[in-house]
Amino acid sequence: MSTERKYRSEEWFQIGGLWGFLHRGWMKAEGFSDEVFTKPVIGIANSWSELNNCNAHFRQVADAVKRGVWMAGGFPLEFPTMSLGEPFMKPTTMLYRNLMAMEVEENIRANPMDGVVLLSGCDKTTPAMLMGAASADIPAMMVTGGPMLKGNWRGQELGSCTDCRRFYDELKAGTITDEEFAEIESCVSRSAGHCMVMGTASTMASLVEALGMTLPGCAAIPAPDARRYQLAEATGRRIVEFVKENIRPSDILTRKAFENAIRVNMAIGGSTNAIIHLVAIAGRVGIDLPLSLFDQLSRTTPWIANIKPSGKYLMEDLFYAGGIPAVMKELSPLLHLDALTVTGKTIGENIANARVYNRDLIVPLSEPLGPEGGTVILYGNLAPNGTVLKQTAASQDLLRHRGRAVVFKNEADMMARVDDPNLDVDENCVLVLQNAGPKGAPGMPEWGHLPIPRKLLQRGVRDMVRISDARMSGTAYGTVVLHVSPEAAVGGPLALVRDGDIIELDVPGRRLTLHVPDEELNRRRSEWQPPAPHATRGYVKIFLDHVLQAHEGVDFDFLRAVR
Ligand code: FES
């Protein structure tokens, strides 16, 4: 096949003897002729599933990639992967991100592929595929599935699922009817594709583009738009060349690329979940991203993209405004423009001709929506290893707040009591959820957006300070302190909080303080008992035995790169 270098697939198809006979013969059983064995093999990892509406159009996307691969002289072979559908999987897709990453890695490693195109969409499918491909480290490109079309109800544009939450609170407060809520249900999600606010899926698609792992412009093209299929076809053409150039994820996923991605995350008001995923992806290529780096870059990256849940527009609008290339062009004084990408060119070359077409959506760097990035990192005696808050989606008057703790010991306790009319709570209290972290839940579900007690909703309260070791959906909003590390289930200080303790949140000072004397905390610590493990067998047992804490990316200890 090649006189320049040996391809992996030659070990299957270009060998003699019984195994060469069998490999070729079984491929021919699918109807392929000898002609295909002269071409580089391009795997297409497809996370299509009818149990994942966000990725429901991926068969057509895969067809477009295949077309491109054939055009460029490659041999495309599509294979299925797990699909982590956010709406359905219990207790949380995050429990399975690492399993999917392992599956993708081992599928690539075990099969005759010279390069791979990764089709991802819904939240965890993107980091899982990138983690697996980074560990396998053969030439890889990603095509994300694109956002859904904008929702619309009675003339109001709706974003999934920021507005689902907003209207549910209105329903509980009695300001809309059951009939209206049912009507909205049919109006929010109008097509395949991932959530179309800057939630986790849109954020991860944007960051994968910023990392240089997709063709430029990929993130924001709406899922049903013909240009997404054109981009998929172009990716199919490019991967064949890319394999010949032998550029690997480890060549692209450099420290500079991660710093670019963190800056873009800050500038777009991206999901808090992106911090966990970026730390995990970087860990696969041997790069440490301490939380302090996120805060350092947050302090020096203005917020410039006016997109829900932090702002007002949706991903489809971002596409018309110029997409992530236009955001990066605006941010370019802060970026490493020499970072390599899958085009074979640098980020700087890729965005050279990008333009901003909507100045209300992508504002000038000199006139930002906020002077700092979307997400900040807080430390203190309640979170010695750090905690995360999305300041662009928080209430400005709560960013400095002292309040009395109302503690729920786990999610079941919270659901049983939060709407109890007798719950001793007012709008100045701080709601605390324990045992919702990586080991505690398990899997660190998106329970961090604790519901506002119904009696307070009915009095007009729409936000309160909330603290947990859980995550929060990237589509959610509020003054919500997340990813407290170490988590309660391993004995972190969060486990020691009691009803009535005073907690102080100081976002400008980046502090989270539990005002309880050390002697009292030590006494409580001596009495603390770990919760019973959630499993004694199977995958969940592996998860519990090996999962790392939030500030380490919630990857498995044995999957991080060996230096
Ligand atoms: Fe898949 Fe929101 S449910 S991205």
Side-chain angles (χ1 to χ4, degrees):
M1 178 166 58
S2 165
T3 54
E4 294 161 12
R5 73 175 181 87
K6 197 168 172 61
Y7 287 89
R8 289 182 80 237
S9 61
E10 292 179 37
E11 299 284 352
W12 280 262
F13 299 129
Q14 301 282 323
I15 56 174
L18 178 62
W19 283 106
F21 169 96
L22 292 172
H23 294 150
R24 290 185 296 274
W26 282 326
M27 208 76 251
K28 288 177 184 175
E30 292 188 37
F32 293 112
S33 70
D34 279 318
E35 191 65 23
V36 298
F37 303 124
T38 64
K39 301 173 189 298
V41 176
I42 307 299
I44 301 172
N46 194 344
S47 56
W48 170 88
S49 168
E50 286 182 339
L51 286 168
N52 186 352
N53 58 290
C54 304
N55 299 12
H57 55 309
F58 279 16
R59 286 169 159 174
Q60 291 80 5
V61 177
D63 285 345
V65 175
K66 280 183 200 167
R67 224 167 40 228
V69 173
W70 285 121
M71 281 178 195
F75 175 26
L77 289 172
E78 181 184 348
F79 63 98
T81 69
M82 282 185 82
S83 192
L84 308 178
E86 208 63 29
F88 301 125
M89 292 187 84
K90 305 290 182 214
T92 167
T93 50
M94 189 64 186
L95 183 60
Y96 303 105
R97 183 201 63 178
N98 297 346
L99 181 62
M100 181 174 176
M102 290 170 75
E103 190 219 23
V104 169
E105 175 183 347
E106 300 307 334
N107 249 315
I108 294 171
R109 186 171 287 123
N111 280 299
M113 280 175 233
D114 301 308
V116 62
V117 176
L118 310 159
L119 305 188
S120 74
C122 198
D123 291 16
K124 309 303 179 299
T125 57
T126 298
M129 283 186 145
L130 199 50
M131 289 160 72
S135 293
D137 207 28
I138 70 167
M141 295 174 68
M142 185 166 263
V143 179
T144 51
M148 294 176 202
L149 295 174
K150 294 192 266 191
N152 195 296
W153 179 66
R154 300 184 182 178
Q156 281 187 64
E157 286 190 346
L158 303 183
S160 166
C161 244
T162 304
D163 291 307
C164 320
R165 295 173 209 287
R166 181 166 66 85
F167 281 115
Y168 185 54
D169 280 350
E170 297 306 325
L171 179 73
K172 283 171 70 177
T175 57
I176 63 169
T177 64
D178 284 332
E179 292 70 29
E180 286 173 319
F181 193 60
E183 220 176 275
I184 293 165
E185 179 183 299
S186 301
C187 299
V188 172
S189 304
R190 292 173 49 221
S191 72
H194 56 70
C195 292
M196 65 297 215
V197 298
M198 192 53 83
T200 304
S202 298
T203 301
M204 289 312 298
S206 302
L207 302 193
V208 171
E209 184 175 332
L211 284 167
M213 290 297 295
T214 69
L215 291 184
C218 180
I221 307 172
D225 194 299
R227 286 162 286 188
R228 176 151 301 283
Y229 296 92
Q230 292 164 12
L231 183 136
E233 184 188 290
T235 303
R237 291 199 304 274
R238 172 63 192 144
I239 185 79
V240 178
E241 280 305 304
F242 196 54
V243 163
K244 290 176 186 162
E245 293 161 9
N246 198 24
I247 299 174
R248 295 161 184 263
S250 54
D251 298 317
I252 293 176
L253 298 174
T254 60
R255 180 166 291 280
K256 285 182 176 179
F258 283 107
E259 290 188 2
N260 284 344
I262 295 170
R263 289 229 188 248
V264 169
N265 188 40
M266 297 304 169
I268 61 179
S271 165
T272 46
N273 288 318
I275 295 180
I276 290 176
H277 298 319
L278 284 176
V279 170
I281 297 163
R284 296 302 187 97
V285 287
I287 296 175
D288 275 332
L289 296 181
L291 290 188
S292 55
L293 175 67
F294 287 84
D295 199 56
Q296 179 195 327
L297 297 181
S298 175
R299 287 177 189 270
T300 52
T301 308
W303 170 37
I304 61 166
N306 190 3
I307 307 172
K308 281 186 179 183
S310 301
K312 74 174 186 192
Y313 290 100
L314 295 167
M315 287 299 284
E316 190 177 335
D317 303 308
L318 176 63
F319 176 52
Y320 305 139
I324 292 301
V327 173
M328 295 187 81
K329 179 83 172 187
E330 196 60 44
L331 269 187
S332 52
L334 300 175
L335 299 179
H336 300 291
L337 297 177
D338 57 341
L340 181 65
T341 75
V342 291
T343 62
K345 298 178 182 159
T346 64
I347 279 281
E349 290 171 309
N350 287 351
I351 64 173
N353 297 320
R355 284 181 55 193
V356 177
Y357 297 101
N358 178 348
R359 273 299 183 192
D360 192 44
L361 197 160
I362 304 172
V363 303
L365 197 56
S366 55
E367 297 167 44
L369 298 160
E372 295 185 343
T375 311
V376 298
I377 309 299
L378 314 169
Y379 293 95
N381 67 342
L382 195 44
N385 293 333
T387 182
V388 168
L389 177 138
K390 188 169 176 177
Q391 61 178 346
T392 49
S395 300
Q396 297 307 298
D397 59 321
L398 289 175
L399 294 180
R400 274 202 175 99
H401 184 80
R402 275 173 82 104
R404 167 171 67 85
V406 174
V407 181
F408 302 102
K409 62 180 185 297
N410 53 41
E411 194 246 2
D413 180 37
M414 174 179 76
M415 297 316 284
R417 294 194 296 123
V418 72
D419 286 335
D420 184 338
N422 296 319
L423 183 70
D424 182 15
V425 66
D426 61 46
E427 56 270 47
N428 296 316
C429 289
V430 173
L431 303 181
V432 175
L433 173 63
Q434 300 168 327
N435 296 309
K439 290 179 193 259
M444 204 180 179
E446 292 181 339
W447 295 339
H449 190 248
L450 279 72
I452 305 286
R454 186 188 296 267
K455 67 180 179 184
L456 298 183
L457 280 173
Q458 287 167 343
R459 294 212 322 248
V461 177
R462 291 292 182 273
D463 194 12
M464 295 173 70
V465 174
R466 290 160 269 181
I467 299 175
S468 76
D469 45 13
R471 296 176 304 114
M472 171 175 88
S473 166
T475 65
Y477 51 89
T479 312
V480 185
V481 180
L482 301 156
H483 311 181
V484 168
S485 180
E487 64 174 304
V490 300
L494 186 69
L496 310 180
V497 184
R498 304 267 168 90
D499 280 337
D501 289 348
I502 298 300
I503 294 178
E504 182 173 3
L505 172 67
D506 176 7
V507 174
R510 303 296 199 262
R511 301 297 297 169
L512 181 67
T513 310
L514 175 63
H515 286 286
V516 174
D518 285 346
E519 312 79 66
E520 171 61 12
L521 288 179
N522 287 338
R523 189 190 65 73
R524 293 181 192 178
R525 190 171 286 114
S526 67
E527 290 173 356
W528 177 78
Q529 294 290 324
H534 288 277
T536 53
R537 62 168 297 281
Y539 170 72
V540 178
K541 170 84 164 84
I542 296 173
F543 186 96
L544 294 172
D545 287 349
H546 293 284
V547 73
L548 298 167
Q549 288 291 288
H551 70 286
E552 300 164 310
V554 195
D555 202 359
F556 292 155
D557 49 10
F558 60 86
L559 291 176
R560 287 168 66 91
V562 178
R563 303 273 177 91

